[in-house]
Amino acid sequence: MMLKRLLAFTAWIVLALSFAGTANAQAKPKDWDALVAAAEKEGQLSIAGPPGDTYRSALIGWFQKKFPKIRVEYNGASGRDQVPRLARERQSGVFNWDIYIGGPTSPLGALKPIGAFDPLPPELILPEATDNAKWHDGFRSGFMDVEEKLYYAFDGTTSDVLYVNADIVAPSEIKAYKDLADSKWAGKIVWEDPRQEGSGLNSALLYKLTYGEAFIRKLLAEQKIIFTRDRRQLTEWIVRGRYPLAVSLPSDQLKIFLEKGIGKNVKQVEDAHFIQSINPGFGAFGILNRRPHPNAAKLYANLLLSVEGQTSWAKQSGGRNSRRSDVPIGDPEAALKPGIKYIQSQTEKMVAQRQLMAKISREVIPQ
Amino acid sequence: MGLLRIENLVKRFGPVAAVDRVNLEIREGEFFTLLGPSGCGKTTTLRMVGGLEKPDEGEIHMAERCLVSPGRGIFVKPERRDMGMVFQSYALWPHMTVFENVAYPLKLRRVKRSEMRDKTRAALELVGLGGFEERPSTALSGGQQQRVALARALVFSPGVLLLDEPLSNLDARLREEMRRELKALQRRVKVTVLFVTHDQMEALSMSDRVGIMNRGRLEQVGVPEDVYYQPATSFARDFLGKVFALAGRIVDATGEECRVELKDHAGPPVSVRARHSGESPWAAGKEVMVAIRPEQISLAKTAGDGRGNVLAVTLQASQFLGDRYEYTVAVGGESRVLTAPAAQRLKPGQQIYLQLDPEAITLWPTAQ
Amino acid sequence: MSNVSVGIHSRGGLFRGRVGAETFWCSLVLAVVGFFVLYPIVLIVVNSFQVAKPGMPPLYGLEGWRAVLAEPGLRRAVYNTFSLMIVRQLISFPFAIFIAWLLARTDLPGKSLLEFMFWLSFFLPSLSVTLGWILILDPDYGIANQIWKALTGAAHGPFSIYSFWGIVWAHIGHNTTAVKVMLLTPAFRNMDASLEEASEVAGSSTLGTLVRILIPIMTPIFTVILLIAIINGFQAFEIEMILGAPINFHVYSTKVYQLVQQEPPAFGPATALSTAVLLILLPLIAVQRKLTARRQYTTITGRYRAKAIPLGNWKNPALAFVTLIALLISVAPMAFVLMGTFMSLFGFFDIPHAWTTDNWKRVFDDPIFMLSLKNTLLMSLGAAALAVSLFSIIAYISVRTKFVWRSALDFISWFPSAMPGILMGIGLLWLFLDIPLFRALYGSVWLLIIATVISSITLGTQLIKANLLQLGQELEEASRTTGASWLTTFRRIVGPLLFPVLLLVGVLGFIHAARDISNVALLATSSSRTLALLQLDFMVSGRYESAAVVATIVMLLTTGVALIARFLGLRVGIRA
């Protein structure tokens, strides 16, 4: 009897333990600890990431705290500086970087063709990271390359196209995005320069996709738009009301003003008829091949896509959102709404379209 | 026995030979001057001796040591030549005091501090600048700067002192004073000097020997009196001083004496000692130039005893210059200027007689 | 590099030197400098014919050149570049000459302090100063216009910083005048007073002497500064970008930037455009060399005399004039910069908590601040030291030796500044990656030092060269004949006499390295990042106030270095 009871108890314990084991396995795969150990043994992780102190802390702050044994080399620079450099380094046999993080256009244009990226899916072993239910429109919709395996956008910030300064322009005066073409707004619009890659080009492309090429050509050519490359200047101008309308207003910049208690008068124009899109900004990444720290890179890639990594992105990147639905929202106005199908305007498929839009901009903007 | 020997020295700047096959020997303790107009190659020669220019051909020896020989690939750097040099612009270093300037060569030679101080003081005393040690070199007058440069060049007792027109930047009175001092100084310290100047007064008054340079060539070397009174070339003749020259034709050339009939001038032919007569052999009928230094002509109111060469001329004007008179006379239709001691007073319009010592006359081909 | 020549010349202790030694060492310097300068530039030029897409095998053609010619607004941009350049120089040159002369040659009171104010103006960060001027001269909310409106009741103020004249003002009020005063003052100071005295004895007035004697005799330094101003006019970029873009006013450099910023970057057309500008500049460089080669410009001779000209009744007006300009271009902008670092939002005075120390806190709390500070100091001091030694060797060879290729050496020292920084940075990246020797140093501070020194070679070399031309050769010869070797002469005579300019070159090398972005962005890794990149980080995040803090720290570092340099400069150099 005693033995029976003991056996039963043991069985119960074993069962309980094995359940616990399965539950654990669901959170972390069985070789996870080995991965952590191997990564810590490598002791370093080298990331070529976006510029700016906010992105730097959003992308690596949490990881460094979690794994103090792994030193994170983070080199922040824009794609213009980073990509030609990486391409040339690889050509000379220098393989210094594990992970590239940044807007998709430059790396897809110059790093993918030289075979710099390894496929992501084999590296992603953490179930939580690739859980379809937790990612808007499913996990796969974040892939930016045609093959859907090399470059992944985790950012889920919608494109905020048109803003008004409500102190000067009443919301009733401008209801639809196409109202921008009204001649009464001539000389009153500021727009991030669409002749180069960036959100100004993105907005122009969305206008083109919604209203057609003739519309955007006319708009850029005739509305006496003020084009600037200085995002902070653009934001200050609409906040001060110097130009009451702003296309491609950077929400992270507006947030700086809002933090100090000004800029509340700047409102997004809502127009359901305008194309809905995600603009991932710098929030996309790929794993480079021949990387010096493969285990640390694998560990980071998995955790970046986990709740922990994405929470940090949403909370600390200064107004960006994640495509994950189970993390906080960084910018409510630019949050993804469930059920809506957004187009990804920065995928490799869109590259030709973007380049065409930039070319049109260079042609029609009066010089 | 030469201390400094220059053999076949050539320096070209582009196609032009600035120094053209110069040969020269300078004796120990000698004050030797290279005299010539600017651009004659004298400074270039000096700079080659000092090691500041490299010759294209030829050799320079000091005592038994070859200083430079492009042919043998030898070039001793300036700092190894043991020569002191004073530059035309003095070349004092404006960031140093007088003392620092003069002590510099001693410092380089790692002379002990106390000895350095004594030697520097002594050198400054020598040039009459005792007590000026702590002055900045930029706060001195031209003459004082010149003395500092001299002290600096002498302080390390070099084998040879090179002087590149050191007096040319001084005003006239100071120059005369420095000329005397420099010569006295050289006698006292017994240094061998190679001096370069374009001023024939400096050259004649200070030198043991003078070398006349023209267009890169050394035309004549000799003691000052010889080169002055017996110039070997027409260039030397004209460059060294004023010349009283008359055109004529040789009527008779026998042995030691030539007789020249002066053009446009009645009277007996002029006698010339043949040994004084320039470079080419003379023959009767040849057109020549008779030359004499004006100060070797004596003026007289009367024709005298008729011996020697006497020319009758008309006095056109006279000017009193204090220690002497300057007379303008008409000879053969041309006006010439002569000077004579103030003791003798002559009146314009008067007929006077010029006595030309046959020994002092030189004879030159007319072409020159 | 300097060490190499140290080795050579001290070994010259041999009794007899071979004739070819000078040629050998000069050739070595030429080979090294030529390699570092020409390798990247040749690659850039070759690249202008490269038309293949990234990742494809190279393909050559004229597409890049054709694209440049077809670039809309190019002609307008070139016209704008030239008109800006000419107007700026016409205004600033006479001012700078006059001020430098007052500071260097006269008994103007407080001239040492005043001169340093012009240095400070040069150290001020461009962007912060420009933002300051926007705050004052913005057509709508600019303080000057607000005051005007309040006084006159007019609807609009008269000033607009977003205009041609606004850009001109931003340049003149910042670097254009200051740098000239900085460069000219030492040159004026090195002038022999007897030159002026001779002119005055001949009956010329003081001002007449300035115009007729001093200015002509300073031709070498003037032509160098003018040519560098022209080249900088091509490269100037930040101010044009901020003030020109909104009014659709473009210049050559913003065009190049625009091309490189495209996606994919239009390196072909950008390099083609830069190559074309290099080709335009080459004849100008040749003309400058001709102009200065023809005559003698020695102003420090062996019978140098120094003397300040008494200003007499003009003392107070002159003092007022120089002080006013110094205040306008140094103290006022410095006030903006400092004020900006303590504002929540630069230029917003009427918000709650307008004043804060958060910007400083944000910088000091940044995890990479200390590392960046350390790297900046190491790199800038290294660059200053390398710049001074390398540039003086180059200048010395091209002025003082009879080395056959000396003019080639001088000529190539002009090249790096004729290339836009972005492209030169890429060219240097290629160089360092292609040569295995450098690959071992890749990512280290040492390559950053080399890169920034190469890219600042023009100004430093030409500055030393112009000052060396003023130095009578007999000063060196006198040293040689008293028994000093070449090296001793360089150390004891040339070095001290050039000391003021060498310090200036060192300070310029320091600030150039500390501010450099185009090279550092391409060559640094996380362990060799500098403050300039930290500043860029804050800029990108829109934290202009914290960026201004970093720029202020760089400025303070430079000021500290400059103060030490000036203090040393007072002990060495010509004694008046």
Side-chain angles (χ1 to χ4, degrees):
Chain A
M1 234 12 225
M2 273 294 278
L3 188 72
K4 216 175 183 177
R5 259 211 243 160
L6 193 68
L7 273 175
F9 182 68
T10 315
W12 184 80
I13 296 263
V14 168
L15 203 68
L17 277 179
S18 68
F19 254 105
T22 15
N24 224 350
Q26 217 168 29
K28 299 273 188 274
K30 62 177 182 315
D31 44 2
W32 183 257
D33 293 339
L35 178 66
V36 171
E40 284 183 335
K41 195 157 169 263
E42 284 168 354
Q44 194 181 332
L45 171 66
S46 302
I47 296 175
D53 61 318
T54 43
Y55 288 125
R56 172 166 28 94
S57 65
L59 285 167
I60 66 169
W62 57 276
F63 187 80
Q64 261 177 331
K65 213 170 283 166
K66 194 177 171 91
F67 301 104
K69 287 182 196 159
I70 304 175
R71 197 165 59 85
V72 184
E73 290 263 344
Y74 182 93
N75 191 46
S78 68
R80 167 177 70 78
D81 288 335
Q82 202 93 270
V83 167
R85 172 180 173 176
L86 254 67
R88 186 68 186 202
E89 280 180 3
R90 300 178 72 85
Q91 196 182 322
S92 301
V94 174
F95 299 94
N96 280 344
W97 307 101
D98 297 303
I99 286 181
Y100 181 93
I101 307 176
T105 326
S106 308
L108 289 177
L111 291 178
K112 190 194 161 199
I114 58 169
F117 290 115
D118 265 350
L120 266 172
E123 302 289 320
L124 300 176
I125 57 170
L126 194 66
E128 175 200 342
T130 54
D131 187 347
N132 265 323
K134 299 290 190 308
W135 289 93
H136 185 94
D137 200 18
F139 178 73
R140 281 184 77 84
S141 72
F143 278 108
M144 295 284 110
D145 55 316
V146 181
E147 293 82 4
E148 301 197 340
K149 61 177 187 187
L150 297 176
Y151 206 76
Y152 192 81
F154 49 80
D155 182 272
T157 312
T158 59
S159 301
D160 306 332
V161 176
L162 184 58
Y163 283 82
V164 293
N165 182 322
D167 294 347
I168 296 169
V169 178
S172 56
E173 282 191 82
I174 192 154
K175 287 194 181 106
Y177 277 29
K178 64 171 187 274
D179 294 350
L180 211 57
D182 190 329
S183 62
K184 73 174 168 178
W185 305 123
K188 296 192 168 160
I189 307 160
V190 59
W191 192 317
E192 191 182 327
D193 199 332
R195 286 166 289 192
Q196 65 186 53
E197 187 52 57
S199 50
L201 174 65
N202 198 63
S203 303
L205 177 63
L206 296 178
Y207 261 102
K208 178 167 171 276
L209 292 174
T210 312
Y211 302 119
E213 187 175 329
F215 181 88
I216 184 70
R217 273 183 181 270
K218 197 161 177 297
L219 187 65
L220 293 178
E222 294 173 7
Q223 278 299 74
K224 299 195 184 105
I225 297 167
I226 313 306
F227 296 104
T228 177
R229 293 172 180 130
D230 189 325
R231 298 157 69 236
R232 159 103 182 229
Q233 192 180 39
L234 185 153
T235 314
E236 182 167 335
W237 278 340
I238 187 168
V239 169
R240 284 190 186 267
R242 169 140 179 209
Y243 302 106
L245 295 166
V247 178
S248 60
L249 177 74
S251 53
D252 59 330
Q253 305 286 311
L254 182 59
K255 207 168 171 182
I256 293 176
F257 285 82
L258 290 170
E259 272 171 19
K260 314 288 182 204
I262 45 175
K264 290 188 202 90
N265 51 349
V266 177
K267 299 276 184 239
Q268 205 185 151
V269 176
E270 304 278 352
D271 180 355
H273 301 291
F274 196 74
I275 200 162
Q276 302 288 305
S277 76
I278 298 179
N279 175 20
F282 286 119
F285 82 112
I287 296 193
L288 295 160
N289 62 19
R290 304 187 63 176
R291 52 197 170 274
H293 316 102
N295 291 304
K298 189 172 180 175
L299 179 64
Y300 178 80
N302 280 286
L303 289 176
L304 176 64
L305 296 180
S306 72
V307 173
E308 192 174 9
Q310 288 305 299
T311 303
S312 169
W313 175 255
K315 281 172 82 173
Q316 289 184 48
S317 59
R320 305 297 308 184
N321 292 323
S322 170
R323 279 184 45 255
R324 273 194 94 98
S325 51
D326 53 353
V327 299
I329 284 169
D331 178 6
E333 290 206 36
L336 297 172
K337 295 185 184 84
I340 296 184
K341 178 96 177 158
Y342 292 89
I343 73 147
Q344 281 275 10
S345 58
Q346 289 203 55
T347 59
E348 197 176 358
K349 279 181 227 152
M350 299 292 283
V351 165
Q353 294 244 42
R354 297 180 80 87
Q355 290 182 358
L356 178 66
M357 187 61 238
K359 190 164 163 282
I360 292 171
S361 307
R362 285 196 289 276
E363 275 168 29
V364 301
I365 292 174
Q367 298 255 5
Chain B
M1 195 216 52
L3 174 71
L4 200 62
R5 207 169 72 242
I6 297 171
E7 291 170 5
N8 277 321
L9 202 64
V10 176
K11 175 73 186 178
R12 290 186 201 90
F13 292 118
V16 187
V19 174
D20 193 2
R21 308 227 158 270
V22 166
N23 285 283
L24 185 63
E25 259 192 51
I26 297 169
R27 299 175 199 127
E28 179 131 32
E30 185 175 33
F31 196 116
F32 188 93
T33 301
L34 281 175
L35 173 68
S38 64
C40 73
K42 57 187 192 303
T43 297
T44 309
T45 307
L46 182 90
R47 290 169 59 82
M48 285 192 283
V49 171
L52 302 175
E53 299 280 355
K54 291 177 182 173
D56 295 311
E57 288 171 40
E59 295 188 350
I60 301 173
H61 297 264
M62 186 160 152
E64 289 315 303
R65 179 178 163 210
C66 178
L67 295 181
V68 62
S69 168
R72 288 190 278 154
I74 296 173
F75 177 76
V76 178
K77 292 181 180 174
E79 63 266 29
R80 306 259 148 204
R81 292 193 176 193
D82 189 29
M83 292 180 186
M85 185 159 172
V86 176
F87 292 79
Q88 186 172 10
S89 65
Y90 321 139
L92 293 192
W93 300 306
H95 59 301
M96 296 183 183
T97 61
V98 168
F99 182 87
E100 286 166 334
N101 263 284
V102 177
Y104 182 84
L106 300 174
K107 205 180 256 177
L108 294 172
R109 287 168 177 76
R110 301 186 197 288
V111 170
K112 265 191 292 180
R113 191 172 281 270
S114 60
E115 192 186 339
M116 181 162 79
R117 203 177 49 233
D118 295 344
K119 281 197 167 175
T120 306
R121 287 247 170 87
L124 284 170
E125 293 290 345
L126 191 68
V127 296
L129 281 181
F132 279 70
E133 285 85 350
E134 294 316 313
R135 294 265 196 107
S137 63
T138 51
L140 298 180
S141 72
Q144 290 166 330
Q145 292 194 336
Q146 213 272 344
R147 285 158 203 256
V148 175
L150 195 59
R152 184 178 65 189
L154 285 171
V155 73
F156 59 104
S157 314
V160 177
L161 182 60
L162 306 176
L163 303 172
D164 183 10
E165 309 224 14
L167 309 179
S168 64
N169 281 319
L170 303 177
D171 61 50
R173 198 186 306 161
L174 201 55
R175 195 180 315 164
E176 217 165 289
E177 190 187 317
M178 278 307 295
R179 202 164 69 204
R180 267 190 296 279
E181 271 185 37
L182 191 57
K183 182 64 189 167
L185 193 69
Q186 189 253 344
R187 287 213 188 90
R188 234 180 309 154
V189 299
K190 297 187 178 63
V191 64
T192 310
V193 170
L194 177 53
F195 182 85
V196 154
T197 183
H198 66 269
D199 182 325
Q200 86 276 13
M201 275 289 262
E202 286 176 13
L204 297 174
S205 60
M206 293 196 286
S207 317
D208 297 319
R209 285 193 302 149
V210 177
I212 314 278
M213 278 194 83
N214 182 33
R215 298 186 186 184
R217 290 177 168 273
L218 192 57
E219 298 210 335
Q220 187 178 8
V221 177
V223 299
E225 290 81 356
D226 284 354
V227 295
Y228 185 76
Y229 289 120
Q230 293 155 31
T233 62
S234 55
F235 170 79
R237 177 196 70 202
D238 295 343
F239 190 74
L240 282 171
K242 290 201 185 96
V243 183
F244 187 85
L246 298 163
R249 192 164 56 88
I250 298 177
V251 289
D252 174 19
T254 51
E256 298 215 324
E257 213 171 79
C258 265
R259 291 177 70 75
V260 179
E261 199 177 66
L262 296 181
K263 212 172 171 179
D264 303 329
H265 190 83
V270 175
S271 309
V272 182
R273 289 287 178 187
R275 66 187 156 90
H276 294 167
S277 53
E279 45 273 327
S280 50
W282 305 111
K286 192 163 180 161
E287 300 280 330
V288 291
M289 184 80 82
V290 169
I292 186 167
R293 297 281 175 211
E295 65 273 18
Q296 288 186 311
I297 301 172
S298 29
L299 273 62
K301 286 181 187 167
T302 59
D305 57 3
R307 284 189 309 156
N309 305 309
V310 178
L311 263 60
V313 294
T314 311
L315 182 61
Q316 290 181 313
S318 76
Q319 211 171 6
F320 179 54
L321 296 178
D323 56 340
R324 61 190 192 278
Y325 275 99
E326 201 174 84
Y327 295 114
T328 311
V329 297
V331 186
E334 276 180 75
S335 293
R336 305 298 172 91
V337 175
L338 293 170
T339 55
Q344 205 172 16
R345 190 149 180 225
L346 305 167
K347 290 221 167 56
Q350 201 178 347
Q351 171 101 349
I352 58 165
Y353 301 90
L354 310 181
Q355 293 184 342
L356 314 177
D357 179 2
E359 300 282 335
I361 298 177
T362 50
L363 204 59
W364 305 88
T366 326
Q368 292 169 315
Chain C
M1 194 141 239
S2 56
N3 288 336
V4 176
S5 19
V6 169
I8 320 146
H9 288 282
S10 52
R11 244 182 285 123
L14 294 169
F15 204 71
R16 291 169 179 175
R18 299 290 295 186
V19 175
E22 179 185 291
T23 313
F24 173 77
W25 292 109
C26 291
S27 308
L28 189 73
V29 172
L30 175 66
V32 171
V33 173
F35 177 76
F36 276 103
V37 170
L38 293 181
Y39 191 98
I41 289 178
V42 167
L43 283 188
I44 290 169
V45 173
V46 169
N47 203 272
S48 70
F49 297 100
Q50 223 278 94
V51 295
K53 291 218 150 55
M56 298 291 139
L59 188 69
Y60 295 93
L62 289 170
E63 235 168 81
W65 288 80
R66 249 180 256 130
V68 163
L69 294 176
E71 177 73 16
L74 182 70
R75 212 182 303 168
R76 183 94 210 146
V78 169
Y79 172 82
N80 287 342
T81 307
F82 276 101
S83 43
L84 264 184
M85 199 154 69
I86 292 167
V87 169
R88 268 162 60 189
Q89 301 314 325
L90 279 180
I91 297 174
S92 66
F93 230 108
F95 270 106
I97 289 175
F98 187 53
I99 294 169
W101 174 78
L102 284 172
L103 293 174
R105 305 298 310 170
T106 67
D107 61 348
L108 191 74
K111 52 191 176 180
S112 186
L113 177 70
L114 285 170
E115 189 193 353
F116 197 68
M117 279 163 74
F118 287 92
W119 284 38
L120 278 182
S121 168
F122 181 74
F123 299 159
L124 288 167
S126 240
L127 180 81
S128 311
V129 174
T130 310
L131 293 178
W133 287 120
I134 292 177
L135 185 62
I136 304 229
L137 298 173
D138 184 281
D140 292 339
Y141 56 81
I143 294 169
N145 284 321
Q146 301 281 5
I147 293 173
W148 178 273
K149 280 190 256 180
L151 289 179
T152 62
H156 296 283
F159 307 109
S160 173
I161 192 79
Y162 299 102
S163 65
F164 178 87
W165 290 102
I167 295 173
V168 168
W169 169 248
H171 273 291
I172 292 179
H174 180 217
N175 274 344
T176 311
T177 315
V179 76
K180 287 192 184 71
V181 173
M182 224 174 148
L183 302 181
L184 284 172
T185 311
F188 268 117
R189 201 171 281 136
N190 278 350
M191 182 136 346
D192 191 338
S194 52
L195 295 167
E196 290 163 339
E197 283 165 5
S199 160
E200 265 149 57
V201 167
S204 176
S205 67
T206 301
L207 207 60
T209 306
L210 172 66
V211 173
R212 274 190 292 273
I213 307 293
L214 301 197
I215 292 177
I217 217 160
M218 304 230 326
T219 309
I221 186 101
F222 285 157
T223 55
V224 161
I225 292 176
L226 186 65
L227 191 51
I228 283 175
I230 290 174
I231 290 176
N232 285 348
F234 275 104
Q235 309 309 349
F237 163 72
E238 259 177 319
I239 292 172
E240 283 78 356
M241 197 76 156
I242 300 174
L243 300 179
I247 54 164
N248 215 352
F249 182 89
H250 297 276
V251 293
Y252 153 78
S253 57
T254 55
K255 277 276 163 199
V256 171
Y257 183 79
Q258 207 175 17
L259 288 167
V260 175
Q261 284 278 303
Q262 285 174 21
E263 189 55 52
F267 283 122
T271 49
L273 188 53
S274 308
T275 306
V277 167
L278 182 65
L279 291 177
I280 294 173
L281 291 173
L282 288 184
L284 286 182
I285 296 168
V287 166
Q288 190 272 341
R289 287 184 45 80
K290 263 238 155 59
L291 274 178
T292 51
R294 239 185 302 152
R295 279 162 50 190
Q296 272 280 307
Y297 295 99
T298 314
T299 56
I300 308 181
T301 63
R303 41 193 176 106
Y304 178 87
R305 301 219 289 119
K307 204 186 108 209
I309 295 172
L311 286 170
N313 285 339
W314 289 101
K315 194 180 273 185
N316 286 331
L319 180 63
F321 169 75
V322 180
T323 311
L324 182 74
I325 297 214
L327 287 176
L328 201 58
I329 77 173
S330 93
V331 175
M334 175 125 60
F336 307 148
V337 173
L338 282 178
M339 186 183 77
T341 66
F342 289 106
M343 292 198 81
S344 282
L345 271 174
F346 183 69
F348 287 83
F349 297 95
D350 46 2
I351 56 172
H353 313 293
W355 302 94
T356 176
T357 53
D358 284 357
N359 305 315
W360 288 83
K361 241 181 114 246
R362 178 187 284 268
V363 171
F364 289 135
D365 287 349
D366 195 289
I368 60 171
F369 171 71
M370 280 314 290
L371 177 75
S372 306
L373 177 67
K374 202 189 87 197
N375 284 336
T376 302
L377 268 178
L378 184 64
M379 177 178 122
S380 305
L381 288 173
L386 180 62
V388 169
S389 25
L390 178 67
F391 301 166
S392 26
I393 290 173
I394 298 174
Y396 191 87
I397 290 176
S398 57
V399 172
R400 283 292 197 254
T401 67
K402 302 222 160 67
F403 179 51
V404 197
W405 295 98
R406 61 185 188 278
S407 25
L409 185 62
D410 181 47
F411 206 63
I412 49 179
S413 75
W414 283 98
F415 283 24
S417 59
M419 274 287 150
I422 312 171
L423 296 180
M424 195 66 199
I426 291 174
L428 285 165
L429 171 74
W430 291 339
L431 163 70
F432 293 144
L433 282 171
D434 286 352
I435 309 298
L437 175 71
F438 296 123
R439 229 176 286 156
L441 294 171
Y442 186 68
S444 71
V445 172
W446 309 113
L447 286 195
L448 296 183
I449 292 177
I450 296 178
T452 51
V453 167
I454 294 292
S455 55
S456 68
I457 196 168
T458 310
L459 180 60
T461 303
Q462 294 304 322
L463 207 50
I464 299 178
K465 212 189 112 193
N467 279 271
L468 200 55
L469 277 171
Q470 291 188 320
L471 202 64
Q473 183 156 10
E474 73 273 11
L475 296 172
E476 285 165 66
E477 292 174 347
S479 166
R480 296 300 295 275
T481 54
T482 52
S485 65
W486 178 86
L487 185 76
T488 309
T489 304
F490 199 87
R491 217 181 61 223
R492 285 247 169 90
I493 309 294
V494 183
L497 285 175
L498 290 181
F499 202 69
V501 70
L502 294 183
L503 284 179
L504 187 57
V505 168
V507 170
L508 291 175
F510 185 94
I511 194 162
H512 184 86
R515 279 186 188 161
D516 181 278
I517 285 182
S518 47
N519 291 302
V520 177
L522 283 167
L523 292 168
T525 56
S526 61
S527 55
S528 55
R529 289 175 75 87
T530 62
L531 288 175
L533 289 190
L534 185 63
Q535 187 188 344
L536 189 68
D537 269 355
F538 287 122
M539 291 277 304
V540 172
S541 313
R543 306 274 174 190
Y544 281 20
E545 294 78 13
S546 293
V549 170
V550 180
T552 304
I553 292 169
V554 170
M555 181 184 96
L556 292 176
L557 284 182
T558 316
T559 307
V561 168
L563 276 174
I564 295 170
R566 283 181 71 88
F567 179 72
L568 289 174
L570 293 177
R571 336 234 109 205
V572 193
I574 295 178
R575 305 196 178 174

